[in-house]
Amino acid sequence: MAKRSAAFYLLSCVLVWFLISSVSAVTDEDKQVYVVYMGSLPSRLAYTPMSHHMSILQEVTGESSIEGRLVRSYKRSFNGFAARLTESEMERVAKMDGVVSVFPSKMYKIQTTGSWDFMGLKDGKGTKRNLGVESDTIIGVIDTGVWPESESFSDKGFAPPPKKWKGVCSGGANFTCNNKLIGARDYTGEGVRDTIGHGTHTASIAAGNAVADISFFGIGKGTVKGAVPASRVAVYNVCLRNGCTSEAILSAFDDAIADGVDLITLSIDGFLQSFEQEAGAIGAFHAMAKGVLTVNSADNSGPTPGLVSSVAPWIFTVAASNTNRGFVNKVVLGNGKTLEGKSVNAFDLKGKKYPLVYGKSAASPACDTDLAKKCLARCLDESLVKGKILVCASSDGLSIAKSMGAVASIIINPKEYAAIHAIPFSALSPDDFDSLVSYINSTRSPEAAVLKTETIFNQTAPKVASFSGRGPNRIASDILKPDITAPGVEILAAYSHVASPVPPYKQENDTRRVNYAVLAGTSMSCPHVAGVAAYVKTFYPEWSPSMIKSAIMTTAWPMNATGTGVASTEFSYGAGHVDPVAALNPGLVYELDKADYIAFLCGMNFNVTTLKIIAGEAITCTENILQRNLNYPSMSAKLSRPNGTFTVTFNRTVTNVSAPNSTYKCKVLAGHGSTLSVKVSPSVLSMKSVNEKQSFTVTVSGSNLDLELPSSASLIWFDGTHNVRSPIVVYTDGPSY
C-alpha cells in the first residue's frame, strides 16, 4: 500500500454499496466496506470533500453513479470516506495520491443508584458543584442511541443549549431532542431511538438527571443520577444488535469533535491491534488534538491477562469493579438450611417450596449425564422439568429452564456478580452449589424456595470484576493499561422501554419492559469515569485532556489485592479506583500534548506513512522518546530478561496546579512481586508559582524478577495536603501473562 488517504479529521463514515451494473459484473458478495482515510482536511476554501470522494469512487469503479457505493463521507474534523469496494478496487484506491490508508471496517462489540454515593459524590451541600459551567458542559456518547423520553434526560429547568454547540438533532422519526438531550446523530439507518438499552444506560450514568425512588421492581431503590446532572448530552448511534462498525465509529468521532462536545465516552470494545489499524485510537487522537478527552472501556475479556484492547496512551482506559452494595437472594431448602446466592431476581414466589430436579436426573436419551447436569440444549426431558426448580451446573440452563416450563432455576455462579434473567433464579457459589447437590442426592423428595433479591451494603469493595480486561499492554508494553477502575458491576441506570432487561443473546424471551435496569460490564465503568472527567472539567475548563486524566489517576484510591496471581495486580486496575472528590485537588499533574504523543510514536518506530494514518498529516520525526519516558501518570517497563540485575529509569515532569510556594517531598511504598529499589532525583520539588514545571528521574533497580507477578511500588509526592501517587510496574514475559 503505497500512499494513504487524508481523511481523519472527518468522523462521518461513508459506506459504498456496489450494485451490479452493465459496467461491472461483480456481486455484492465480492465487496466489503473499507474506510479510506485521507488525513487532515485541506485548508483551501475551494476544497469540497464530498465531491472529491465521489470522483475517487467514480474513477476507481468506472461507474458514473456511486449511489450504492458511498457509505459515509468524513468532512468535518478530518478527511476521508467509507465505501463498499472489491479487493482490487481497494488496492487501486490505496495507491492514489492523497490517500493515507485503507482498512476494512470491522464490527465492534458494546460492552446507578449507589455507585456515586460509594465514591463520595453525594447529593447535598457536601458535594461541590460549579453549576454555571456544568450546564455548559457537553458529553458526547458514542453508543446504541438513547431513549429520549426517559426522566434521566428531561430538560425541566434547563436553559437553551450553550452557544458553542454546533450539532443537530437528527434522531429519526418520532425522535425529539430538548435542552438536556441537545443532539442526536444516526449512522445505522435505524434512527437514534435506543432499542437495545445499552446507550441509554451509559448516557445516564455519565450525565443523567437525578431521579428519585428508582428501582428494578423494588430492587436497589434510590436516586439514580449521573456525575454531572446539569450537563448536556449529545448521542451518536453507531451500533446495531450485531455490533458497531469501524466506519460508523469514525463518523461519530468526526461529527462529535466538530459539534463541540467537551469529552467523549465510548463503551465499545476495540481490537487488539496497532494504533494505525484501530478506529477508536485514530478518532481519539483527533479528539485529543482538539482538546477533547476520550474515555473508553477496557473491554470484557478478563480475567485472562494481556487482552485489554484499549491501549493507546491518549485514551483513558477504564476497568470495572464492584461497590459495597450487592444483590443477593436466598434459597431455602426443604431441610431448613438456607443458602445465599447472587441474583437480580424480581420474581416473588411468596416463599413457596417446589420440587428440585438436577439436570442429570432429567436427562433425555440424546445426552449423557455430564452434559445434562449443565442443562444444555436438547439434553433434558421436558416432562421431568416442568413445574419444578431446575438445578444446573452451568448458567446455560436458564434459557432452557424457562422454555421447558420450570418454575425457577438454581445455577452455579460463574461470574461473582448478580444479573437479570427471565425466570426466578439464584446463582450459588461452588461450595453452596455442592451443598445443594448433596441435599438433592440424599433426600427422597428434595424441594426448595427461591426468594426475591435483597440489597446488602457490606460486601468487600472495590474489587475488580473477573470479566474486566487485563494488561499487560500488548501494543505499547511500557504503557500501563488499564488506567483506572470504576464501578461497573450491578449498576442500576436508565434503560430503553422497548428493550428486554435480559440481553437478546441470552435467548430467554423476557417480555418485561422497564425504564431502569441493572447491567454489568466495563461499558458501565467507562461512563462513570467520563462523568468524573466532566465533573473535573467544570472546575477547570481550560485543562487539557492529559491534565484531567492525570488528576483522576494520581488521586485514585489505592487498590489492595483481593485475589492471587496477575489478575489482581496493577494489570487489573492501573492507578487504582477513581475518587471524584479528590480529583478536584490533585496538586500536581503530568501534562502531555500532541507533540509528545508523536515523539512517543516515533520512539515506537512508526514511519512517515503510519504516523500520517494516526495524526492525519505529514510528520517527520524530530524527536524520539522511549515509551517509558512518555510523561504518563503511571510508570511501567517490560524487561526482556527475568534473571540477573536490572536498572530502569523513568523521566517525568510535573506541573503545579495548586498553591504557589509549595514543597513536595517524595516517598516510595512497596508493592508486590520482587523487591524493587526506587530512587528519585531530586527527592524534593519546590514550586514557587502556579503552573511551574519541574522534572525528576525515577531509577528502579532489582534482580530476578518474579515470573508469576509484575513487581510494583508506588511513588507519592506529598506536601502535607496532596498525595500525588503514581504506580511503578516492572515485569517480564512469564507463564501467567
Side-chain angles (χ1 to χ4, degrees):
M1 193 177 292
K3 296 188 179 179
R4 313 206 174 200
S5 147
F8 241 89
Y9 259 43
L10 260 144
L11 274 168
S12 171
C13 301
V14 181
L15 264 168
V16 177
W17 298 84
F18 269 161
L19 303 177
I20 298 175
S21 70
S22 58
V23 180
S24 172
V26 180
T27 66
D28 283 341
E29 286 74 18
D30 295 317
K31 309 181 195 78
Q32 75 172 93
V33 177
Y34 290 92
V35 175
V36 181
Y37 175 51
M38 301 173 70
S40 301
L41 283 166
S43 57
R44 62 184 187 276
L45 294 177
Y47 180 75
T48 55
M50 179 73 84
S51 297
H52 189 197
H53 303 159
M54 293 174 67
S55 67
I56 290 174
L57 282 174
Q58 289 170 337
E59 179 180 346
V60 168
T61 65
E63 300 170 4
S64 58
S65 173
I66 49 84
E67 180 181 350
R69 295 277 198 160
L70 186 62
V71 178
R72 306 190 190 281
S73 185
Y74 310 116
K75 52 188 181 292
R76 301 186 70 203
S77 301
F78 47 83
N79 193 15
F81 60 93
R84 190 171 293 278
L85 303 169
T86 65
E87 185 174 355
S88 62
E89 290 167 343
M90 177 274 294
E91 292 172 351
R92 290 179 60 194
V93 170
K95 296 176 181 178
M96 299 180 73
D97 289 338
V99 174
V100 176
S101 66
V102 181
F103 52 90
S105 177
K106 296 183 178 180
M107 189 67 72
Y108 292 69
K109 295 180 179 179
I110 53 178
Q111 326 274 34
T112 83
T113 61
S115 57
W116 293 115
D117 287 353
F118 174 69
M119 293 185 287
L121 200 61
K122 301 180 179 181
D123 290 330
K125 297 180 180 178
T127 297
K128 292 174 62 177
R129 293 282 179 189
N130 191 357
L131 293 177
V133 179
E134 186 173 317
S135 67
D136 284 343
T137 301
I138 305 168
I139 297 180
V141 183
I142 300 177
D143 212 296
T144 68
V146 70
W147 189 259
E149 290 82 13
S150 171
E151 287 184 82
S152 291
F153 308 110
S154 165
D155 69 347
K156 184 178 180 180
F158 278 79
K163 293 181 180 179
K164 66 182 179 182
W165 175 243
K166 299 179 177 64
V168 298
C169 184
S170 298
N174 301 316
F175 187 100
T176 304
C177 296
N178 58 35
N179 288 332
K180 169 70 175 181
L181 177 61
I182 62 173
R185 292 182 185 270
D186 174 49
Y187 309 91
T188 68
E190 295 193 0
V192 182
R193 182 172 294 278
D194 185 10
T195 60
I196 299 171
H198 190 273
T200 303
H201 205 268
T202 59
S204 70
I205 292 171
N209 297 326
V211 185
D213 297 324
I214 295 300
S215 68
F216 180 77
F217 295 105
I219 298 170
K221 188 172 183 179
T223 298
V224 171
K225 64 179 183 294
V228 279
S231 66
R232 317 303 177 109
V233 176
V235 174
Y236 303 83
N237 180 23
V238 299
C239 302
L240 296 171
R241 289 194 179 276
N242 61 337
C244 325
T245 60
S246 302
E247 91 278 350
I249 292 170
L250 280 177
S251 285
F253 268 105
D254 179 38
D255 284 327
I257 296 166
D259 285 345
V261 304
D262 291 294
L263 59 89
I264 292 169
T265 178
L266 180 69
S267 289
I268 297 173
D269 291 355
F271 290 89
L272 188 56
Q273 55 192 6
S274 187
F275 303 138
E276 80 277 9
Q277 300 172 346
E278 173 57 40
I282 296 172
F285 189 94
H286 285 276
M288 172 276 302
K290 293 291 187 179
V292 177
L293 175 64
T294 299
V295 185
N296 190 199
S297 51
D299 75 37
N300 298 333
S301 60
T304 303
L307 296 182
V308 58
S309 59
S310 176
V311 295
W314 51 87
I315 293 176
F316 204 171
T317 307
V318 188
S321 46
N322 68 343
T323 70
N324 63 329
R325 186 190 69 181
F327 297 135
V328 300
N329 72 329
K330 294 180 173 64
V331 174
V332 182
L333 305 183
N335 62 6
K337 184 175 182 179
T338 298
L339 307 175
E340 187 173 88
K342 300 283 286 182
S343 167
V344 185
N345 175 39
F347 299 99
D348 189 356
L349 300 180
K350 308 297 183 183
K352 182 178 178 180
K353 292 184 174 66
Y354 291 88
L356 291 166
V357 59
Y358 195 14
K360 70 177 184 178
S361 300
S364 69
C367 283
D368 61 34
T369 55
D370 284 339
L371 294 177
K373 72 180 182 181
K374 296 180 180 180
C375 305
L376 300 185
R378 298 182 298 279
C379 280
L380 302 181
D381 183 336
E382 182 174 347
S383 66
L384 300 176
V385 173
K386 189 172 183 179
K388 299 177 182 178
I389 297 175
L390 180 62
V391 177
C392 305
S394 165
S395 60
D396 295 333
L398 287 166
S399 60
I400 303 299
K402 181 175 174 61
S403 67
M404 289 193 165
V407 175
S409 184
I410 302 172
I411 63 172
I412 190 168
N413 188 1
K415 298 177 179 178
E416 304 174 347
Y417 64 90
I420 298 172
H421 288 282
I423 188 173
F425 84 104
S426 185
L428 302 179
S429 69
D431 287 345
D432 281 347
F433 188 83
D434 288 343
S435 295
L436 173 65
V437 173
S438 295
Y439 164 71
I440 293 172
N441 291 336
S442 63
T443 306
R444 181 182 298 273
S445 300
E447 61 178 6
V450 176
L451 305 187
K452 187 177 178 178
T453 289
E454 305 170 9
T455 304
I456 61 171
F457 292 92
N458 61 353
Q459 67 178 3
T460 302
K463 179 181 178 182
V464 177
S466 59
F467 59 74
S468 186
R470 263 73 170 179
N473 188 332
R474 297 299 190 198
I475 304 300
S477 57
D478 286 358
I479 300 297
L480 181 63
K481 288 287 181 171
D483 291 308
I484 203 160
T485 189
V489 175
E490 301 169 6
I491 303 300
L492 177 62
Y495 205 63
S496 168
H497 190 65
V498 297
S500 165
V502 180
Y505 71 86
K506 294 184 179 180
Q507 298 180 335
E508 295 182 26
N509 191 29
D510 191 346
T511 58
R512 294 174 296 175
R513 295 297 180 263
V514 294
N515 294 323
Y516 292 84
V518 177
L519 298 180
T522 54
S523 286
M524 283 65 253
S525 59
C526 171
H528 275 96
V529 172
V532 174
Y535 179 62
V536 173
K537 192 172 180 65
T538 64
F539 289 90
Y540 307 102
E542 74 285 357
W543 277 13
S544 68
S546 66
M547 295 173 75
I548 295 172
K549 181 176 177 179
S550 174
I552 294 172
M553 289 176 65
T554 60
T555 59
W557 298 341
M559 294 279 286
N560 297 320
T562 53
T564 58
V566 66
S568 63
T569 67
E570 287 85 357
F571 289 158
S572 297
Y573 49 75
H577 190 286
V578 62
D579 182 345
V581 176
L584 292 183
N585 190 19
L588 306 172
V589 294
Y590 296 83
E591 288 192 76
L592 288 163
D593 59 20
K594 180 179 176 181
D596 295 315
Y597 291 120
I598 289 172
F600 158 82
L601 293 170
C602 290
M604 290 185 68
N605 297 318
F606 277 66
N607 57 33
V608 173
T609 302
T610 50
L611 280 172
K612 190 174 182 181
I613 295 173
I614 298 170
E617 58 188 335
I619 292 173
T620 301
C621 288
T622 57
E623 180 185 6
N624 296 359
I625 62 171
L626 295 174
Q627 293 179 36
R628 67 189 61 162
N629 286 332
L630 183 69
N631 200 39
Y632 212 65
S634 58
M635 304 175 201
S636 178
K638 179 183 178 182
L639 304 183
S640 58
R641 292 183 296 109
N643 299 321
T645 60
F646 63 86
T647 299
V648 180
T649 59
F650 302 94
N651 298 323
R652 292 293 188 272
T653 299
V654 288
T655 302
N656 180 30
V657 292
S658 184
N661 300 315
S662 300
T663 300
Y664 287 84
K665 298 179 181 179
C666 75
K667 60 181 176 181
V668 176
L669 302 180
H672 40 69
S674 303
T675 301
L676 300 178
S677 172
V678 181
K679 295 183 180 179
V680 183
S681 179
S683 59
V684 177
L685 302 176
S686 296
M687 298 289 192
K688 294 181 173 57
S689 61
V690 178
N691 295 323
E692 180 180 350
K693 300 178 186 293
Q694 289 200 25
S695 300
F696 61 92
T697 299
V698 178
T699 303
V700 181
S701 57
S703 61
N704 299 324
L705 282 174
D706 191 328
L707 293 178
E708 299 294 332
L709 288 174
S711 299
S712 70
S714 292
L715 167 65
I716 300 174
W717 290 104
F718 68 101
D719 66 348
T721 300
H722 307 94
N723 286 278
V724 187
R725 188 177 60 86
S726 294
I728 302 170
V729 177
V730 181
Y731 70 103
T732 187
D733 276 329
S736 297
Y737 50 89

